[in-house]
Amino acid sequence: MTNLIAGSTGPWEAVIGLEVHAQVISRSKLFSGAATGFGAEPNSQVSLVDAAFPGMLPVLNRVCVEQAVRTGLGLKAEINLESVFERKNYFYPDLPAGYQISQYDQPIVGEGSIVIDLADGSSREIGIERLHLEQDAGKSLHDRHPKMTFVDLNRCGVALMEIVSKPDMRSAEEAGAYLTKLRAILRYLGSCDGNMAEGSMRADVNLSVRRPGEPLGTRTETKNVNSIRFVQQAIHYEARRQIEVLESGGTVVQETRLFNGVTGESRSLRSKEEAHDYRYFPDPDLLPLKLDPARIEEIRAGLPELPDEKKSRFIESFRLKPVDAAILVADRERADFFEAVAAGRDAKLASSWVMGDYFAALNKAGSSLAEAPVDAEKLGGLIDLIADKTLSGRMAKEVFEAMWESGKTAAAIVEERGLKQITDTGAIAAIVEEILVKNPAQAEQLKGGNMKIMGWFVGQTMKATQGKANPGTVNQLLKEKLGL
Amino acid sequence: MTVSGPVTHLTLAEMRELLGKRAFSAKELTQAHLEAMESQRALNAFTCETADKALAMAEAADARLAKGEARPLDGLPVAIKDLYCTEGVETTAGSNILKGFVPTYESSVTAKLWQAGAVMTGKLNMDEFAMGSANMNSAFGPVANPWQRKGDNRDLVPGGSSGGAAAAVAARMAPASLGTDTGGSIRQPASFCGIVGMKPSYGRCSRWGIVAFASSLDQAGPFTRTVRDSAIVLGVMAGFDPKDSTSVDLPVPDYEAALHKNVKGLTVGVAKEYRMPGVAGEVERLWKRGMTWLEEQGAHIREISLPHSQHALPTYYILAPAEASSNLARYDGVRFGARAAAEDLTGLYEATRGQGFGAEVKRRILIGTYVLSAGYYDAYYNKARRIRSLIARDFARAFEQVDVILTPTAPTAAFAQGEKMDDPVAMYLNDIFTVPASLAGLPAMSVPAGLTDRGLPLGLQIIGKAFDEETVFRVGHALETAAHFTHRPQRISG
């Protein structure tokens, strides 16, 4: 088993569960009409409800509820027809009411699952424990003043989905694959933009270690892990730390730890004994949330094709390798792009161009599909010229570079540069003849059966035609001329 | 109708009629009430008088009345318990922690009143955050009941928590006022002050803009001197509000029209469990008289059982503090209201809340925090929730047999300031008859029905089916007619 971690006293296994906070895409907050845009002036998107002024009451945003249902359906999860909002009580200046409205005993979404795709092309199912809706808190800014803390309430009250996995993951790779797939599903559904840099998707890592086959060990929770890379770092760090504690005869303490992205390490925030007593109780300002089964079916019927289905379809109809299909479907826009390029064309050629030169150019430029100079239609045009043998593979690479530079179509560049592949046998035959005459010694070797020299002749011919000769035709002609 | 005697002694309905006939102007009526308020300042019923605002509103009402465009409450003075947020007018909930807080918004219920043409004369004293049954817990000091015992000039309590609202209407400083009722805070002071107090069904009036005490119990309601006036004011206050998720989207009937119906054929329930020790003999006798009055008008009296009502008080004193402990967490000195000087965050919380809250509020926050704590939650909070459902079920079963339930409003008449102060539990017993209807979310009204031997008013409570305020008004009107309560308090304006 590759997931085992070698310790000094034998192998260990990490048991990992993730709690992901995903910001719901909605114009207004979970319980108020204030806007939710990122990057606004501090405290410019705050209603009286968010700031918990006396007498203010929450009103549930139905859009957020539908997003949670949509997400639950995308996670193949059970949708609870009745769920309850509760108050989680604690004091902090960025929590104006002194309580967060969340769901506790009765979440809106129950058990589901996610299939993760691993680097070796294999897949594995990870269980989802639950998904619930809750409010985000505001932001405390401790670095603006030597003695005071500033509070920005723009984020306060924004809807979050807390998506809790089962402790089904065994390695940092699996955790990364889980987050990648979860993010893809959320983006396909349009329920969360998955932007971890802006904090719209954040993860807490629950981790324990054990000897393979033994019962679960004591777990810790590492909070504030804001990228997939950080999650993997946090897992490596925490697994190693726990193993060291256990191997030196200590015991793991159940605690909450805070991850530091700069050092890649975490520190203890509070132990179980210091844990808050949140005094959850049903929010009397809100009635239990009841869902109409007919509406859930409507939402289900309107779901887009999700990554797993798309992957299967790509494998089926385009004969792609599972690894390639998984890469393509990881991002809905990229998958759509591939489909547009592949439509009516050779799928293998399309996939190798999309995933090869095209994605490489995209990554190098750091640009998005929407702003790329070459769109699906233009890339398709290039592939068409390869297919009809106007361009050789080598020429096509050159044309593609020029397309990326200029934004022009492949046909225009071929025209401009006179790059049309020479497939006229007569023209190539004359050139081949000339080369054979100029290089009698090599011609003799070839006749003598030294096939290695064949490549040299093809190269010379290509050089003479500035790469425009069709290499297949050159080969053919050489053989004919020499009677091979 | 002509005016003989001070206009402040008229009922709201009479004022409405005479304003319509231009017998006097809204401005004159308002002026008379502002003078009455001034003459009775010793009662300490108001936390804030809004004379300028009142006169401006009265002038606007006069303009509409002159054009024949009168609105339902045009020109009628109404004073507001200081638990309602009022735009541009300091709103304190009777607490030091909110001193200086001037809302930029108007509560939904008061907004409806002003929209209907009512004139706001001021904000009324109350127990801090509506916690109390004697109005002794206010940061503005106690309110005196306009009534006094025969041969005893000690100040009596007006009841609570809406003590100022009840005293103001009883002393003719306002024909109507708005209170709030969580466990009896309208009905008990109405009984103590000899006026009508109505708590509608939970969900009938919007709670938006009312400082929350216990959200699952809080309801707005009016104080008036007659049942008709109560019907008039509630008719304006009631209605669905999309800003309050617990308000109910039901049409509001014409409550005043319900008064035309008599009680013939109605069945009135009397709960055997409500005959209990600790209830004054004269209270019990008045209750019996109430049954007789209704029987004489054609209603049937039927004994019913509300077996879980005996647990209502402890249930209430777990659930209400639990919600309050959470509702009052927002008063932290960070965004509004009072902020104490402190070195760090914990210090800020401790000093602000330590100085800002009074003793009873602190007691209830502590009780509420305790009953919600891990390890005690099931034994207290969860058990109380279960009993609450049983109490509601008792009522639902009883209402299969009866149309309304008649009870005393309070176990005693008003007591003196300083009495019952050393024992919070004795104070909590004031709510014994009012709390069950609160827990079940039912409409209930107190109607003045008689005097004690020492000359203090006593009320009777009518509890109705959920959202059947009409029948409550109907029975209240019948009781009012039979009781013919025309007594007046000793301390009265005009």
Side-chain angles (χ1 to χ4, degrees):
Chain A
M1 182 131 176
T2 50
N3 284 335
L4 297 185
I5 303 163
S8 56
T9 58
W12 296 88
E13 181 182 50
V15 176
I16 302 155
L18 294 175
E19 285 174 26
V20 171
H21 289 88
Q23 182 179 327
V24 175
I25 294 178
S26 67
R27 278 200 296 277
S28 53
K29 296 182 179 180
L30 183 54
F31 295 110
S32 84
T36 56
F38 176 78
E41 277 293 293
N43 295 312
S44 65
Q45 298 179 345
V46 186
S47 76
L48 292 164
V49 175
D50 307 324
F53 269 60
M56 292 301 100
L57 297 173
V59 177
L60 181 59
N61 181 343
R62 291 276 151 185
V63 170
C64 299
V65 172
E66 298 222 331
Q67 292 284 43
V69 170
R70 188 171 287 120
T71 306
L73 293 172
L75 298 175
K76 315 264 184 281
E78 179 190 349
I79 308 298
N80 293 323
L81 294 180
E82 182 166 326
S83 62
V84 174
F85 286 100
E86 304 210 24
R87 293 184 181 178
K88 178 182 182 179
N89 295 282
Y90 65 95
F91 282 94
Y92 208 66
D94 59 25
L95 187 74
Y99 56 84
Q100 175 196 32
I101 304 177
S102 181
Q103 295 189 304
Y104 188 57
D105 269 345
Q106 292 173 262
I108 183 164
V109 176
E111 293 189 346
S113 66
I114 284 186
V115 174
I116 59 170
D117 302 307
L118 299 167
D120 63 3
S122 66
S123 294
R124 206 159 96 66
E125 189 172 293
I126 304 296
I128 299 289
E129 180 72 36
R130 60 185 277 163
L131 175 155
H132 70 250
L133 277 169
E134 65 182 27
Q135 299 175 297
D136 204 350
K139 208 158 82 183
S140 290
L141 308 165
H142 300 291
D143 55 357
R144 303 294 171 92
H145 187 279
K147 292 190 73 180
M148 289 198 276
T149 294
F150 287 19
V151 177
D152 177 6
L153 295 180
N154 280 353
R155 225 172 58 190
C156 181
V158 164
L160 301 178
M161 295 178 285
E162 182 172 322
I163 302 164
V164 183
S165 83
K166 297 198 178 226
D168 286 354
M169 286 159 275
R170 296 291 177 268
S171 67
E173 191 209 345
E174 290 185 356
Y178 171 85
L179 288 171
T180 304
K181 180 53 83 62
L182 174 60
R183 186 168 62 178
I185 293 171
L186 297 174
R187 284 176 170 169
Y188 269 58
L189 294 165
S191 62
C192 170
D193 68 21
N195 191 331
M196 294 186 89
E198 288 178 3
S200 42
M201 195 168 136
R202 314 192 282 273
D204 299 338
V205 179
N206 287 303
L207 186 146
S208 61
V209 298
R210 64 176 174 187
R211 297 292 190 189
E214 301 260 302
L216 291 176
T218 303
R219 69 180 171 86
T220 62
E221 181 180 15
T222 304
K223 283 197 169 291
N224 192 33
V225 202
N226 296 334
S227 77
I228 293 179
R229 192 167 59 86
F230 286 167
V231 165
Q232 296 184 323
Q233 272 183 14
I235 288 170
H236 286 307
Y237 177 82
E238 183 57 15
R240 182 52 56 194
R241 190 191 69 81
Q242 289 188 17
I243 290 169
E244 275 167 24
V245 167
L246 292 170
E247 291 195 328
S248 59
T251 48
V252 173
V253 181
Q254 188 178 336
E255 62 184 356
T256 302
R257 303 181 63 84
L258 193 67
F259 183 73
N260 182 332
V262 178
T263 61
E265 296 176 353
S266 65
R267 65 177 172 83
S268 178
L269 195 65
R270 53 178 178 265
S271 71
K272 189 186 176 189
E273 286 72 32
E274 299 161 307
H276 296 297
D277 179 356
Y278 289 118
R279 308 189 308 278
Y280 280 97
F281 74 102
D283 191 328
D285 287 333
L286 295 160
L287 302 171
L289 172 58
K290 296 202 165 95
L291 298 176
D292 173 10
R295 180 65 196 137
I296 293 172
E297 288 318 306
E298 263 175 52
I299 295 174
R300 192 195 300 276
L303 288 185
E305 183 186 40
L306 290 169
D308 291 335
E309 286 100 69
K310 204 182 277 291
K311 183 183 159 193
S312 306
R313 185 167 61 80
F314 279 10
I315 293 170
E316 182 103 337
S317 31
F318 298 122
R319 308 262 163 235
L320 296 184
K321 282 187 281 180
V323 178
D324 292 346
I327 291 170
L328 282 172
V329 304
D331 182 293
R332 187 180 180 174
E333 283 181 13
R334 290 187 170 207
D336 290 348
F337 182 85
F338 164 73
E339 278 212 88
V341 174
R345 300 190 176 96
D346 179 71
K348 280 244 156 67
L349 192 57
S351 75
S352 85
W353 266 94
V354 169
M355 298 211 297
D357 295 70
Y358 190 85
F359 283 174
L362 204 60
N363 289 346
K364 194 176 156 200
S367 81
S368 69
L369 278 172
E371 54 194 32
V374 177
D375 61 17
E377 201 187 327
K378 286 177 186 163
L379 184 61
L382 177 67
I383 291 169
D384 289 341
L385 293 179
I386 301 167
D388 72 7
K389 297 198 161 60
T390 304
L391 291 175
S392 67
R394 213 186 67 126
M395 289 160 77
K397 282 182 193 290
E398 195 185 320
V399 171
F400 176 68
E401 271 172 40
M403 289 166 73
W404 195 273
E405 290 288 314
S406 64
K408 293 178 182 161
T409 63
I413 288 163
V414 165
E415 184 67 35
E416 258 174 41
R417 302 197 177 182
L419 281 174
K420 213 166 155 48
Q421 178 171 254
I422 304 167
T423 46
D424 176 351
T425 316
I428 298 174
I431 295 165
V432 169
E433 184 63 42
E434 197 188 327
I435 291 169
L436 283 173
V437 169
K438 279 187 185 166
N439 302 287
Q442 283 85 348
E444 277 310 306
Q445 283 180 37
L446 198 57
K447 275 182 192 157
N450 184 356
M451 294 308 285
K452 282 183 190 160
I453 210 80
M454 179 74 113
W456 183 83
F457 272 104
V458 174
Q460 289 300 308
T461 313
M462 297 305 283
K463 198 174 166 187
T465 61
Q466 284 130 25
K468 287 188 258 180
N470 183 314
T473 312
V474 175
N475 251 312
Q476 187 68 31
L477 284 168
L478 276 166
K479 285 178 183 169
E480 280 172 18
K481 296 258 174 207
L482 299 170
L484 291 170
Chain B
M1 170 186 261
T2 52
V3 185
S4 60
V7 290
T8 51
H9 288 212
L10 298 168
T11 68
L12 188 91
E14 290 163 349
M15 292 175 194
R16 181 180 63 178
E17 189 188 336
L18 290 165
L19 279 170
K21 289 180 177 164
R22 312 300 293 138
F24 45 74
S25 69
K27 196 172 177 187
E28 286 164 337
L29 184 65
T30 298
Q31 198 73 56
H33 281 98
L34 292 173
E35 281 160 21
M37 285 154 62
E38 194 179 340
S39 78
Q40 294 301 324
R41 274 186 191 151
L43 293 176
N44 199 27
F46 282 80
T47 58
C48 162
E49 297 176 5
T50 54
D52 292 345
K53 191 179 174 87
L55 291 169
M57 290 171 96
E59 277 176 21
D62 277 331
R64 287 189 296 268
L65 286 159
K67 282 192 279 180
E69 295 169 358
R71 298 175 182 176
L73 296 181
D74 240 339
L76 297 166
V78 181
I80 308 296
K81 186 181 185 179
D82 206 21
L83 203 62
Y84 291 79
C85 290
T86 42
E87 187 178 352
V89 178
E90 187 182 30
T91 299
T92 68
S95 180
N96 280 320
I97 210 160
L98 271 176
K99 284 241 173 110
F101 172 61
V102 180
T104 56
Y105 48 94
E106 185 77 31
S107 85
S108 293
V109 163
T110 49
K112 287 181 125 189
L113 286 189
W114 315 142
Q115 188 55 41
V119 168
M120 173 175 165
T121 53
K123 300 297 287 288
L124 295 159
N125 204 344
M126 54 180 284
D127 280 305
E128 185 178 5
F129 284 102
M131 296 176 188
S133 305
N135 214 120
M136 296 297 290
N137 302 330
S138 168
F140 294 84
V143 175
N145 192 325
W147 293 81
Q148 289 175 323
R149 287 177 186 139
K150 268 183 217 157
D152 184 348
N153 62 3
R154 276 186 301 168
D155 278 346
L156 304 183
V157 303
S161 67
S162 314
V169 171
R172 274 64 175 171
M173 292 189 273
S177 65
L178 297 199
T180 62
D181 190 314
T182 305
S185 282
I186 290 176
R187 292 159 285 161
Q188 182 254 18
S191 179
F192 278 21
C193 292
I195 59 173
V196 175
M198 173 67 167
K199 178 201 93 75
S201 311
Y202 183 78
R204 185 53 103 177
C205 295
S206 170
R207 294 184 294 114
W208 192 89
I210 300 175
V211 174
F213 160 21
S215 313
S216 74
L217 296 153
D218 296 343
Q219 260 298 293
F223 287 97
T224 54
R225 291 189 291 268
T226 69
V227 173
R228 176 175 303 279
D229 292 355
S230 186
I232 292 169
V233 179
L234 184 65
V236 172
M237 297 169 70
F240 174 64
D241 180 2
K243 290 191 285 187
D244 174 1
S245 311
T246 63
S247 85
V248 175
D249 196 357
L250 281 178
V252 179
D254 183 345
Y255 295 132
E256 209 181 345
L259 307 182
H260 296 305
K261 295 184 198 153
N262 60 35
V263 296
K264 208 174 209 163
L266 287 184
T267 307
V268 177
V270 177
K272 58 183 180 194
E273 291 85 0
Y274 283 35
R275 291 190 196 98
M276 54 182 101
V279 176
E282 44 196 359
V283 169
E284 188 134 2
R285 282 196 293 281
L286 183 72
W287 186 20
K288 291 223 173 73
R289 206 176 308 147
M291 296 175 211
T292 309
W293 285 332
L294 293 175
E295 271 185 317
E296 284 168 0
Q297 295 181 60
H300 309 291
I301 303 296
R302 181 162 185 168
E303 187 173 87
I304 54 163
S305 177
L306 298 169
H308 295 94
S309 276
Q310 55 173 319
H311 304 300
L313 211 54
T315 298
Y316 174 84
Y317 277 98
I318 288 168
L319 295 180
E323 293 182 21
S325 71
S326 175
N327 281 335
L328 270 58
R330 66 188 58 199
Y331 306 105
D332 56 7
V334 174
R335 297 168 314 287
F336 48 77
R339 175 191 288 201
E343 282 301 304
D344 58 18
L345 181 61
T346 308
L348 173 74
Y349 288 151
E350 288 175 356
T352 301
R353 291 167 68 82
Q355 294 161 26
F357 289 139
E360 183 60 28
V361 171
K362 287 178 192 165
R363 175 167 23 246
R364 296 202 196 184
I365 290 174
L366 288 173
I367 292 170
T369 306
Y370 179 84
V371 299
L372 288 174
S373 298
Y376 302 100
Y377 192 87
D378 283 327
Y380 292 98
Y381 181 74
N382 262 346
K383 187 170 281 180
R385 283 187 79 200
R386 284 200 298 276
I387 296 172
R388 182 179 188 174
S389 334
L390 294 175
I391 290 168
R393 204 183 60 188
D394 283 355
F395 276 109
R397 284 184 180 162
F399 280 122
E400 289 168 7
Q401 304 170 12
V402 301
D403 298 298
V404 292
I405 296 167
L406 183 72
T407 80
T409 305
T412 65
F415 44 89
Q417 290 181 0
E419 283 175 10
K420 302 193 188 189
M421 291 298 139
D422 45 355
D423 181 2
V425 175
M427 188 65 83
Y428 295 168
L429 283 170
N430 268 289
D431 304 327
I432 192 129
F433 294 120
T434 49
V435 152
S438 297
L439 289 170
L442 302 173
M445 175 163 67
S446 178
V447 177
L451 294 183
T452 63
D453 299 341
R454 301 195 64 185
L456 294 181
L458 287 172
L460 288 175
Q461 176 179 233
I462 304 131
I463 304 172
K465 297 174 187 172
F467 299 99
D468 186 15
E469 283 83 3
E470 282 175 290
T471 308
V472 174
F473 279 125
R474 216 169 127 191
V475 176
H477 193 235
L479 273 182
E480 179 183 53
T481 310
H484 196 62
F485 185 92
T486 52
H487 312 283
R488 287 175 184 178
Q490 289 72 17
R491 298 168 74 176
I492 187 170
S493 72

